[in-house]
Amino acid sequence: MTRPALDNRGARRLFLHRHGLGITPTGPGKGADLLALIQSLGFVQIDSVNTLARAHDMILYARRPAYRPGHLQRLIEKDRALFEHWTHDASVIPTDYLPHWQLRFRRDAERLRSRWPRWQGEKFLKELQQVRDHVTAHGEVSSAELKAEEAPTSTGWWDWHPSKAALEYLWRSGELAISRRQSFRKYYDLSGRVLGSCPVPEEAETLDWLMQGALDRLGFATSGELAAFWDIASAQEARDWCAAALARGEIEEVEIQGADGAMRRCFARPGTLEGAAELPPAPARMRVLSPFDPALRDRKRAERLFGFHYRIEIFVPAPKRIYGYYVFPLLEAEQLVGRIDMKADRDSGNLQVTRLWPERGISFGKGRRQRLEAELDRVARFAGLDRVVFGPDWLAEPK
């Protein structure tokens, strides 16, 4: 039987539409509009690096130019429409999804207990109980505040002090929730006081919700990609779900063409590929993406679709870096056309562009440079900077 197939252009277009990058970036970027955007993405990764703006702010700005960081803070801390927890990394997640995060809490608790064997039995339980009692009696607390109360002779897990490890465990297991951040420092309180109570679905119901939600947001995927999306279900659970959904006719096998021309077997909902043919082209506007953008989170998938090999080099020693410490990918229409090394110089008010590397086969002529400069001007304003300054020899040859 011949499977439905989608060429690479159509696959990229579908991929970008499912990730909120296939339409002209517009909208108020706050309140219900911002919440709806995050719900459509599933979650937004949080990262502390702030060479220009934090990752979550760049992700939301790329889709809503009117967005400002305070809009997200209100949804988290005032409206409680979002909460912070873990997917593949720390993320903000719609609070409506909290019932299905109960499975995550249980599984994280089991994993963390098995990874921290140095704290066993009474010592481990005593520290957890001390932190529980403190938060119950005194309300929200930060790790630094608890550390100040510890005995100087206490020893912790890894390089963490004991109360920090206990806070992490209680947060990951769902007993505590992050109530707010101050200068990116986390404050924890009892989950019930922050988020209220919620029903606990059966495990099978949650696994189905996870797989359905991942497929809706990816458009097409292998079972492994479905499992990795939320990073809660196991690879085997995803394979089992795909087999059962295929037998029920809820999904079908399709062939997706990569940037190298190779076809890859994936799963999609019936009619997805036909619908992809009706999607409009992505706008020609150039956009600066965060290295942690949902469209790039799965590096291998992005490389297959766009031929764009990206690795963040924060932890690579400077002499060994191919590009730079924190390099931003550039999206234009339906292509990733380059990457740019730049940072905010707050003292001078400059957005300092150090280097831009076009992708192979891409030239930055007059028209493309104008689109880039227009986008950099917008990004600079978003970051609270006055101007864009290009360094000498900022435009490199393609690698």
Side-chain angles (χ1 to χ4, degrees), residues 12 42 46 100 118 159 197 224 255 275 279 286 299 301 309 388 391 398:
R12 293 199 312 268
I46 297 173
H100 295 297
R118 285 184 292 165
D159 293 327
S197 60
E255 298 284 342
L279 292 172
M286 191 171 292
R299 308 288 194 215
R301 182 182 173 96
H309 177 84
V388 180

Short mmCIF file of all heavy atoms in Angstrom, two decimals, residues 12 42 46 100 118 159 197 224 255 275 279 286 299 301 309 388 391 398:
data_model
loop_
_atom_site.label_atom_id
_atom_site.label_comp_id
_atom_site.label_asym_id
_atom_site.label_seq_id
_atom_site.Cartn_x
_atom_site.Cartn_y
_atom_site.Cartn_z
N ARG A 12 8.11 21.51 5.79
CA ARG A 12 8.58 22.70 6.51
C ARG A 12 7.42 23.65 6.79
O ARG A 12 7.32 24.23 7.88
CB ARG A 12 9.67 23.42 5.72
CG ARG A 12 10.96 22.65 5.59
CD ARG A 12 12.13 23.58 5.21
NE ARG A 12 11.82 24.47 4.11
CZ ARG A 12 12.06 24.20 2.83
NH1 ARG A 12 12.61 23.04 2.49
NH2 ARG A 12 11.77 25.07 1.90
N GLY A 42 2.09 24.24 23.67
CA GLY A 42 2.16 23.19 24.68
C GLY A 42 2.87 23.64 25.93
O GLY A 42 2.43 23.41 27.05
N ILE A 46 12.01 27.77 29.82
CA ILE A 46 12.60 28.88 30.56
C ILE A 46 14.10 28.68 30.60
O ILE A 46 14.59 27.57 30.82
CB ILE A 46 12.06 28.92 32.00
CG1 ILE A 46 10.55 29.16 31.99
CG2 ILE A 46 12.74 30.00 32.82
CD1 ILE A 46 9.93 29.05 33.37
N HIS A 100 -2.81 16.17 34.30
CA HIS A 100 -1.98 15.19 33.60
C HIS A 100 -0.52 15.27 34.04
O HIS A 100 0.27 14.38 33.69
CB HIS A 100 -2.11 15.38 32.10
CG HIS A 100 -3.50 15.08 31.60
ND1 HIS A 100 -4.06 13.83 31.69
CD2 HIS A 100 -4.44 15.89 31.04
CE1 HIS A 100 -5.29 13.87 31.19
NE2 HIS A 100 -5.54 15.09 30.80
N ARG A 118 23.01 8.73 48.13
CA ARG A 118 23.80 9.07 49.30
C ARG A 118 22.93 9.51 50.48
O ARG A 118 23.35 9.46 51.62
CB ARG A 118 24.80 10.18 48.96
CG ARG A 118 25.99 9.70 48.14
CD ARG A 118 26.98 10.82 47.93
NE ARG A 118 26.43 11.84 47.06
CZ ARG A 118 26.95 13.06 46.93
NH1 ARG A 118 28.00 13.40 47.66
NH2 ARG A 118 26.43 13.93 46.11
N ASP A 159 26.66 19.54 44.60
CA ASP A 159 27.13 20.77 45.22
C ASP A 159 25.98 21.53 45.86
O ASP A 159 26.12 22.70 46.21
CB ASP A 159 27.80 21.67 44.17
CG ASP A 159 29.08 21.04 43.64
OD1 ASP A 159 29.75 20.36 44.43
OD2 ASP A 159 29.39 21.24 42.46
N SER A 197 -6.23 22.45 44.15
CA SER A 197 -6.29 21.00 43.96
C SER A 197 -6.78 20.67 42.55
O SER A 197 -7.36 21.52 41.86
CB SER A 197 -7.22 20.36 44.99
OG SER A 197 -8.52 20.89 44.86
N GLY A 224 9.01 7.93 18.75
CA GLY A 224 10.04 8.49 19.62
C GLY A 224 9.88 9.99 19.79
O GLY A 224 10.10 10.53 20.88
N GLU A 255 4.81 9.38 4.70
CA GLU A 255 6.21 9.55 4.34
C GLU A 255 6.50 11.04 4.25
O GLU A 255 5.81 11.78 3.56
CB GLU A 255 6.51 8.88 3.01
CG GLU A 255 6.30 7.37 2.99
CD GLU A 255 7.42 6.62 3.70
OE1 GLU A 255 8.50 7.23 3.90
OE2 GLU A 255 7.21 5.45 4.07
N GLY A 275 -4.37 18.59 4.18
CA GLY A 275 -4.57 19.94 4.72
C GLY A 275 -3.33 20.80 4.57
O GLY A 275 -3.43 22.03 4.43
N LEU A 279 -2.20 25.22 3.25
CA LEU A 279 -1.62 26.22 4.13
C LEU A 279 -0.95 27.33 3.33
O LEU A 279 -0.27 27.06 2.33
CB LEU A 279 -0.58 25.57 5.06
CG LEU A 279 -1.12 24.59 6.10
CD1 LEU A 279 0.04 23.88 6.80
CD2 LEU A 279 -2.00 25.31 7.12
N MET A 286 12.02 38.37 8.28
CA MET A 286 13.07 37.64 8.98
C MET A 286 12.80 37.70 10.48
O MET A 286 12.36 38.73 11.00
CB MET A 286 14.44 38.23 8.67
CG MET A 286 15.59 37.36 9.16
SD MET A 286 17.21 37.90 8.56
CE MET A 286 17.08 37.56 6.81
N ARG A 299 16.78 19.12 17.98
CA ARG A 299 17.81 19.53 17.02
C ARG A 299 17.85 18.60 15.81
O ARG A 299 18.04 19.04 14.67
CB ARG A 299 19.19 19.53 17.70
CG ARG A 299 19.29 20.32 19.00
CD ARG A 299 19.26 21.80 18.78
NE ARG A 299 19.69 22.51 19.98
CZ ARG A 299 19.19 23.67 20.38
NH1 ARG A 299 18.23 24.24 19.67
NH2 ARG A 299 19.64 24.28 21.45
N ARG A 301 15.42 16.78 14.50
CA ARG A 301 14.25 17.00 13.65
C ARG A 301 14.41 18.26 12.81
O ARG A 301 14.14 18.27 11.60
CB ARG A 301 13.00 17.08 14.53
CG ARG A 301 11.69 17.26 13.80
CD ARG A 301 10.56 17.37 14.81
NE ARG A 301 9.29 17.72 14.21
CZ ARG A 301 8.36 16.82 13.86
NH1 ARG A 301 8.57 15.55 14.04
NH2 ARG A 301 7.21 17.22 13.33
N HIS A 309 22.14 22.50 11.02
CA HIS A 309 22.82 21.84 12.13
C HIS A 309 23.12 22.89 13.19
O HIS A 309 23.86 23.84 12.94
CB HIS A 309 24.11 21.18 11.65
CG HIS A 309 24.90 20.54 12.74
ND1 HIS A 309 24.63 19.27 13.20
CD2 HIS A 309 25.95 21.00 13.48
CE1 HIS A 309 25.49 18.96 14.17
NE2 HIS A 309 26.29 19.99 14.36
N VAL A 388 21.47 49.50 16.95
CA VAL A 388 22.21 48.31 16.54
C VAL A 388 23.57 48.74 16.03
O VAL A 388 23.66 49.64 15.19
CB VAL A 388 21.45 47.53 15.45
CG1 VAL A 388 22.24 46.28 15.04
CG2 VAL A 388 20.05 47.16 15.91
N GLY A 391 29.89 45.09 14.28
CA GLY A 391 31.33 45.05 14.43
C GLY A 391 32.04 44.94 13.09
O GLY A 391 31.42 44.69 12.05
N PRO A 398 29.89 31.65 4.50
CA PRO A 398 29.18 30.44 4.95
C PRO A 398 30.18 29.35 5.31
O PRO A 398 31.21 29.19 4.66
CB PRO A 398 28.32 30.04 3.75
CG PRO A 398 28.20 31.29 2.95
CD PRO A 398 29.47 32.06 3.15
#
